[in-house]
Amino acid sequence: MGVTERQRHYLDAMGIPVWISRDAAVPEAAVDDAVAFDVAAEWRALEAQVAACTRCELHKTRTQTVFGVGSHEARLLIIGEAPGADEDRQGEPFVGRAGKLLNEMLRAIGLQRETVYIANILKCRPPNNRDPRPEEVVSCEPWLKRQIELLRPQVILAVGRIAAQNLLKREERIGAMRGQRYHYGDGEIPVVVTYHPAYLLRSPKEKRKAWEDLKRVRRLLSE
Ligand code: URA
């Protein structure tokens, strides 16, 4: 009985060599249980590391870190910019007005918030919601990278300029990035870029374009 590709990925990510005897009759369900247990432990360990992070100055002003939320089985990963005041208080990304709109956007393509995973470029709130500084993004990057390794999403949706530019290492305006085909990392995960829900609250006319982006997400998820 072999190890599936997905199981092998998790075992590799955890640095566990796969030695399976040709004759070994390990029930697949037992391998699944063991992998799921270890992956859950990896997520918990990562969250604890993030909670204790002091890599940049933002740890001094945060109420708490905002790690990310959602299903560890999610096929869609949504990446935003950084926690705002509501998120800093509640410890969860996208819980304010922009979060409500994000939930509606997800519902429009038949997804519940609980079934996707939501994270940010930064895990701590920048004071007065200023833009993240380059050194803060660099400090925080390994955490998001590890989340992506553990999750292995089928599609990433980057919401807003800051998320798109930092994830994709590009400098174009959001309007120029929307509608382009991008990929993240060696796994070549497709990345869809769209407007930030906070911007859509200010510019509802642009919702039509965001709807086009969401339809692309839906198509990619169904492939
Ligand atoms: N805006 C973001 O980019 N992320 C949040 O978590 C909340 C608002």
Side-chain angles (χ1 to χ4, degrees), residues 120-134:
N120 281 311
I121 294 289
L122 293 190
K123 307 294 185 222
C124 296
R125 181 190 182 207
N128 305 315
N129 298 343
R130 63 158 169 75
D131 281 358
R133 295 191 174 133

Side-chain angles (χ1 to χ4, degrees), residues 80-84 87 93-94 120 196:
E81 176 178 333
E87 291 76 21
F94 283 101
N120 281 311
H196 195 286

Side-chain angles (χ1 to χ4, degrees), residues 24-38:
V26 180
E28 209 157 285
V31 178
D32 269 341
D33 285 352
V35 168
F37 180 78
D38 281 345

Side-chain angles (χ1 to χ4, degrees), residues 66 79-84 87 92-96 98-99 118-120 159 196 198:
V66 178
I79 302 181
E81 176 178 333
E87 291 76 21
E92 182 170 328
F94 283 101
V95 289
I118 308 175
N120 281 311
V159 298
H196 195 286

Side-chain angles (χ1 to χ4, degrees), residues 134-149:
E135 66 274 18
E136 293 161 356
V137 173
V138 169
S139 302
C140 219
E141 209 165 12
W143 303 135
L144 181 60
K145 193 163 167 259
R146 185 76 183 125
Q147 285 176 305
I148 299 173
E149 276 170 12

Side-chain angles (χ1 to χ4, degrees), residues 1-4 7-8 18 20-31:
M1 189 86 38
V3 175
T4 65
Q7 289 166 346
R8 184 179 295 278
V18 182
I20 294 183
S21 147
R22 237 177 278 157
D23 306 326
V26 180
E28 209 157 285
V31 178

